[in-house]
């Protein structure tokens, strides 16, 4: 099966930041090449374009761009690989994929923000992240 | 009976042509293609080959520029055939990989890692796609 071939058999062990960086790009390319399969499995033809999915994958990767420890990067890559496997082998469902990658986090926050009309700046920053 | 089996076998092989005089299947095509001798020769010798289906250089340039312009982080006014992804368009390395993947999707290619690492500007991308035999 394709997903068992995709699963990493040997644990990632990057010697340097450069090798980890190379692995991140390989993972990104692998995810982008799976996009046509994903769009077919979850019927996302009318919902999103492949370019938008590529951008949202890049956004997820970019969230961790400040990490410098190669072992931490390996761990994040393992989690990313696991997520990609889950999606491609149809272990997730359409609403998971749409909620996490098509709408993303910004979309959900927009819905809650409309309720508190005179909301405070503190609350707005609180809803976006833990660190401000 | 043999005759009953023979009937359908014969019908399968008979080709009806509108004019009673022509009995060759190529006659109608020959008449139509009389003004295009090259097309007829090609159709007879290599009817389904894509040997001549190369992309022209301007088509490659136009499509690569469109791919760049439709990227959300790229300013369309700065896109020209000499732009460098990181220096002129302000993209970082992950954006460069994303752009290369978009080019792969547009031209239905699969670029190996060694070559993809070298593509970091528009002239190199246009060069690679133009020289690739499978670009569609």
């Amino acid at each position: 099966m394709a997903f068992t071939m995709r699963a990493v058999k040997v644990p990632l062990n990057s010697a340097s930041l450069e090798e980890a960086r190379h692995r991140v790009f390989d993972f990104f390319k692998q995810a982008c090449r799976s996009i046509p399969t994903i769009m077919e499995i979850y019927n996302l033809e009318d919902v999103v374009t492949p370019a938008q999915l590529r951008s949202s994958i890049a956004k997820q990767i970019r969230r961790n761009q400040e990490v410098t420890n190669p072992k931490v990067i390996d761990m994040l890559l393992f989690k990313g690989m696991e997520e990609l496997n889950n999606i491609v082998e149809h272990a997730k469902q359409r609403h998971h994929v749409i909620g996490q990658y098509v709408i993303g986090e910004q979309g959900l926050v927009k819905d809650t923000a409309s309720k508190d009309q005179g909301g405070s700046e503190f609350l707005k920053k609180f809803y976006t992240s833990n660190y401000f | 009976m043999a005759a009953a089996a023979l009937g359908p076998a014969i019908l399968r092989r008979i080709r009806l042509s509108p004019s009673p005089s022509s009995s060759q299947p190529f006659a109608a095509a020959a008449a139509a293609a009389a003004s295009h001798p090259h097309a007829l020769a090609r159709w007879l010798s290599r009817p389904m080959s894509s040997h001549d289906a190369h992309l022209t250089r301007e088509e490659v340039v136009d499509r690569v520029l469109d791919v760049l312009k439709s990227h959300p982080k790229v300013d369309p006014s700065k896109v020209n055939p000499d732009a460098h992804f990181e220096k002129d368009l302000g993209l970082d390395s992950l954006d460069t990989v994303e752009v290369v993947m978009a080019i792969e999707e547009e031209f239905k290619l699969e670029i190996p890692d060694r070559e993809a690492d070298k593509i970091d500007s528009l002239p190199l991308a246009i060069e690679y796609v133009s020289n690739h035999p499978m670009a569609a």
Side-chain angles (χ1 to χ4, degrees), chain A residues 21 29 33 54-55 62, chain B residues 92 95 98 104-105 113:
Chain A
R21 192 166 168 267
K29 286 189 212 174
R33 287 186 180 131
R54 274 197 292 268
S55 294
R62 209 182 295 275
Chain B
D92 70 358
D95 291 324
E98 194 180 337
E104 272 192 29
E105 185 201 348
D113 287 343

Side-chain angles (χ1 to χ4, degrees), chain B residues 45-56:
Chain B
S45 58
R46 293 194 301 255
M48 303 211 198
S49 103
S50 55
H51 174 81
D52 299 314
H54 289 150
L55 294 176
T56 62

